Amino acid sequence: NYGLQSYKNIAKEVTDVAAADGKGYGKGTITYEITGNNSLDVTPDANGTIVFKDAKTGTVTVKATKAADECYEACSEEYKLTLKGLEIPTNPYVLSGDAINESGWYTGNVTIAAPEGYEISYSNTITGNAWASSVSYTSEGANDVVIYLREQVSGSITDAIEVKALKIDKTLPSDLKITYSEPSKWVQVLTNILHGIFKEKVKVTLTATDTISGIDKFEYTFKNSNDMVTVNADKLTFEENKATYTFSISPEYRDQIVFSAYDVAGQMESTIATDDKNNEIEVVIDTIAPVIDVEYEFADEGKFSKKNDTIYTRDDVTVKFSIEEANFELSEKPVVTVKAKPVSV
């Protein structure tokens, strides 16, 4: 079997006692050569030893020739030498590694282990090879991997064993974006939150990219809600490795969207909408005008007069504004105290 470093088969003279000299063979030297197709790319030495080369298997014919001398003619004999790979065991390897789901994608390096009684390598070189009980595979993607096994007892090496579509994805989804249709105006209410003010239904577009296993699904929710919406791959629009999903939000609404993208390997990345200055974006869809109610309190009750919707008084007046707003709540009523001041007409 392939894996032997060399092979030696010496041609020996056969004694014939009936010959005149009692030997039946002369003094000619014995030489060795390969005849016909030399698939092993070898040359026997003077002693009939053949040193095998890496990755060469096949069958050759070795011819031994004894040269003629003053008593005997030349003679020769041949034998066939076949070098082949060791028979591959039924279960030639065991895969192990981190995985999040049952998709067949690993999320880290994968260990390829040899079965009991064998060693494994990515190379089938006969000498200088690093054989071990297992090897680690690190490249991302769905790749066909070639390995070789060496039997520990005999040193024989198998032909190439192909691990089909070994799938590794160690990279999270990327380029997550949340975009909105253009608002009526932007309002910076708080230092780190930018409000997009809309007066009608808003179109929201979610996008994410995954270049290895691909996008499997989107999930989105609203920051002030526990409701989670899942969008599976059959509802997404794909352009190469980028997935997109668009939906609408109706009035009355005020909230922020939290968006998560999952790849087929089960890895997840999340984002919340921000502007180019990293301000979080809150969407407000407001179609209801605020209702304002005004109350007056006079320092000296009764000392005022009213004419044509105008109130006249000499006392201080406290004015209380009550504002009912569908999308913005006020913690307390605004209060304004107007100090009385004499006027002359």
Side-chain angles (χ1 to χ4, degrees):
N1 287 326
Y2 176 77
L4 296 176
Q5 294 189 30
S6 63
Y7 178 78
K8 184 176 183 179
N9 190 359
I10 301 174
K12 297 181 179 179
E13 297 92 344
V14 177
T15 301
D16 183 1
V17 296
D21 59 3
K23 293 192 302 181
Y25 57 86
K27 300 176 183 178
T29 58
I30 299 175
T31 57
Y32 301 87
E33 63 179 323
I34 302 296
T35 62
N37 179 36
N38 189 358
S39 59
L40 297 180
D41 191 24
V42 292
T43 301
D45 66 11
N47 298 314
T49 300
I50 294 175
V51 178
F52 297 118
K53 294 185 177 181
D54 290 332
K56 295 290 185 180
T57 57
T59 299
V60 295
T61 299
V62 183
K63 182 179 180 181
T65 301
K66 187 170 179 64
D69 62 9
E70 66 274 10
C71 297
Y72 290 91
E73 295 179 351
C75 62
S76 62
E77 189 58 82
E78 297 178 349
Y79 73 92
K80 290 188 181 295
L81 174 62
T82 299
L83 189 66
K84 62 181 181 180
L86 178 68
E87 182 179 354
I88 297 172
T90 303
N91 299 305
Y93 57 84
V94 176
L95 301 179
S96 62
D98 293 334
I100 296 174
N101 54 32
E102 301 297 322
S103 64
W105 283 90
Y106 293 93
T107 55
N109 298 339
V110 175
T111 298
I112 310 173
E116 187 176 354
Y118 295 85
E119 295 174 309
I120 191 171
S121 176
Y122 288 123
S123 169
N124 68 342
T125 55
I126 298 172
T127 58
N129 198 347
W131 295 95
S133 59
S134 65
V135 292
S136 179
Y137 192 76
T138 62
S139 297
E140 290 188 282
N143 300 305
D144 294 335
V145 183
V146 174
I147 58 170
Y148 300 88
L149 296 178
R150 183 176 71 170
E151 191 175 46
Q152 291 176 319
V153 173
S154 66
S156 298
I157 300 171
T158 65
D159 289 330
I161 301 169
E162 192 170 41
V163 183
K164 291 276 190 182
L166 181 53
K167 298 186 287 188
I168 299 177
D169 184 355
K170 298 182 280 188
T171 305
L172 300 179
S174 61
D175 299 328
L176 275 68
K177 293 180 181 178
I178 305 171
T179 56
Y180 304 95
S181 49
E182 188 63 29
S184 303
K185 61 180 177 179
W186 294 102
V187 178
Q188 188 90 31
V189 178
L190 301 174
T191 56
N192 63 335
I193 296 182
L194 185 66
H195 292 83
I197 309 299
F198 297 82
K199 294 183 178 180
E200 57 187 11
K201 184 182 292 187
V202 176
K203 185 167 69 174
V204 183
T205 300
L206 311 176
T207 59
T209 299
D210 192 276
T211 60
I212 311 297
S213 62
I215 295 295
D216 179 53
K217 65 180 180 180
F218 286 170
E219 285 183 350
Y220 67 90
T221 187
F222 304 102
K223 195 171 183 180
N224 298 319
S225 169
N226 293 323
D227 296 332
M228 179 72 70
V229 179
T230 299
V231 185
N232 293 318
D234 60 337
K235 301 296 184 182
L236 300 175
T237 300
F238 287 91
E239 182 180 349
E240 295 183 351
N241 299 310
K242 183 173 75 173
T244 303
Y245 181 71
T246 300
F247 63 98
S248 296
I249 304 174
S250 299
E252 299 296 312
Y253 171 88
R254 178 189 174 187
D255 211 335
Q256 294 171 275
I257 295 174
V258 180
F259 163 43
S260 301
Y262 292 77
D263 61 21
V264 177
Q267 300 171 118
M268 182 268 287
E269 184 66 287
S270 296
T271 191
I272 191 167
T274 59
D275 65 5
D276 55 3
K277 296 180 181 178
N278 210 34
N279 292 304
E280 293 184 3
I281 294 176
E282 183 175 68
V283 171
V284 180
I285 311 174
D286 190 355
T287 61
I288 301 176
V291 177
I292 302 175
D293 183 56
V294 181
E295 297 178 5
Y296 303 95
E297 293 182 359
F298 299 93
D300 189 356
E301 196 67 34
K303 291 187 176 181
F304 67 91
S305 62
K306 184 176 181 180
K307 183 178 181 180
N308 298 328
D309 293 329
T310 301
I311 297 174
Y312 300 89
T313 182
R314 295 180 179 179
D315 298 321
D316 295 344
V317 179
T318 299
V319 184
K320 294 184 178 180
F321 297 92
S322 175
I323 304 174
E324 293 185 9
E325 166 55 44
N327 295 293
F328 290 94
E329 294 182 1
L330 298 175
S331 59
E332 57 185 27
K333 294 181 179 180
V335 177
V336 178
T337 299
V338 180
K339 297 289 185 180
K341 189 175 183 180
V343 295
S344 59
V345 180

